[in-house]
Amino acid sequence: MATAMTGSVTDLYPSRAATEVSTPRKDPVVWGSPDTAGPIATTDLQSFERDGFLAIDQLITEDEVAVYHQELERLVTDPGIRADERSIIEPKSKEIRSVFEVHKISEVFAALVRDERVVGRARQILGSDVYVHQSRINVKPGFGASGFYWHSDFETWHAEDGLPNMRTVSVSIALTENYDTNGGLMIMPGSHRTFLGCAGATPKDNYKKSLQMQDAGTPSDEALTAMASEYGIKLFTGRAGSATWFDCNCMHGSGDNITPFPRSNVFIVFNSVENAAVEPFAAPVRRPEFIGARDFTPVK
């Protein structure tokens, strides 16, 4: 398939066309050199490169968890935050599902983004200064909070936000216990090495629907079956304060939470300052900046 152009940037990962297409990854996974300073051990970096993720048993302490969870509760119970367009509401329960751009709404979460245990790992993986492409808190209360279907974040960030290359990493920090039953994160290990370009054009303002339920950018059942058969599926569990770092192109998803036990986390996406967003590669308009940032100021 011929590669398209967005401005002067070549589209290395075509998607949202008439048919689904698989493209081998053209970018490194770990961009930093082996001697790049940072909090990740060399063996863990090698594991991240191989699997596309790195689980950390305790990234933040119990005392810190209490502070961040209290701030999460303050935000989701604030009527002003609920009315803000950065809040996404569950279609059934009408409760808040996510609040975006929390590092700009809350100084508590802004400090977490700047914490060297967090941003230092991002710099080490991406081999450069980084900025926040997206941040949010996710609230998954018990008794029916909906999950999120299988997808690659990069497919969306490339198609709809204009990120040219796979030089982006996410961290999900648990603020409640992640059991094997309350809708935890699932990743296909090794899936980050293959880009799956999804079929179907991107509707205008697709983000308004996709943040509640993924539709455009969703792989076919046949492709997911083949990938799961090849890579397997890893379910992440862990106590509050644990974290999972994962590459932007990992195929991942989560199930509904029908247990009584809530699952809440803070989710931060770091992008390299050398991979700043251009115009969308496969969408009629940009998504709002609170979802796909256009402020490329490095985190300091």
Side-chain angles (χ1 to χ4, degrees), residues 147-289:
F148 218 79
Y149 199 67
W150 290 103
H151 65 287
S152 154
D153 286 330
F154 180 75
E155 194 280 337
T156 296
W157 299 337
H158 182 72
E160 300 186 40
D161 296 338
L163 295 192
N165 296 97
M166 295 180 184
R167 199 170 179 178
T168 314
V169 66
S170 302
V171 60
S172 174
I173 305 173
L175 300 181
T176 53
E177 180 113 6
N178 285 319
Y179 300 103
D180 58 3
T181 53
N182 64 341
L185 173 68
M186 296 180 289
I187 293 178
M188 297 184 187
S191 59
H192 62 303
R193 295 195 173 277
T194 301
F195 176 77
L196 189 64
C198 299
T202 308
K204 186 179 180 182
D205 291 340
N206 177 57
Y207 77 93
K208 293 180 179 178
K209 180 181 179 182
S210 68
L211 295 177
Q212 293 180 327
M213 184 175 294
Q214 188 83 357
D215 189 7
T218 301
S220 68
D221 290 352
E222 293 77 12
L224 288 171
T225 300
M227 294 182 80
S229 299
E230 179 176 358
Y231 301 120
I233 296 173
K234 164 73 174 175
L235 170 66
F236 293 87
T237 59
R239 59 180 173 166
S242 63
T244 305
W245 289 86
F246 59 103
D247 179 82
C248 58
N249 190 46
C250 284
M251 189 62 68
H252 66 288
S254 64
D256 295 351
N257 182 13
I258 61 172
T259 75
F261 309 114
R263 176 181 171 264
S264 299
N265 68 299
V266 55
F267 182 76
I268 307 163
V269 180
F270 294 100
N271 188 39
S272 169
V273 295
E274 299 172 12
N275 189 44
V278 295
E279 291 305 310
F281 286 89
V285 295
R286 299 176 180 179
R287 298 196 298 175
E289 291 193 27

Side-chain angles (χ1 to χ4, degrees), residues 42 47 60 82 88 103 108 136 160 220 258 281 290 296:
T42 300
S47 175
I60 58 176
R82 182 183 177 86
I88 308 302
H103 70 295
V108 172
R136 67 181 188 261
E160 300 186 40
S220 68
I258 61 172
F281 286 89
F290 68 83
F296 311 134

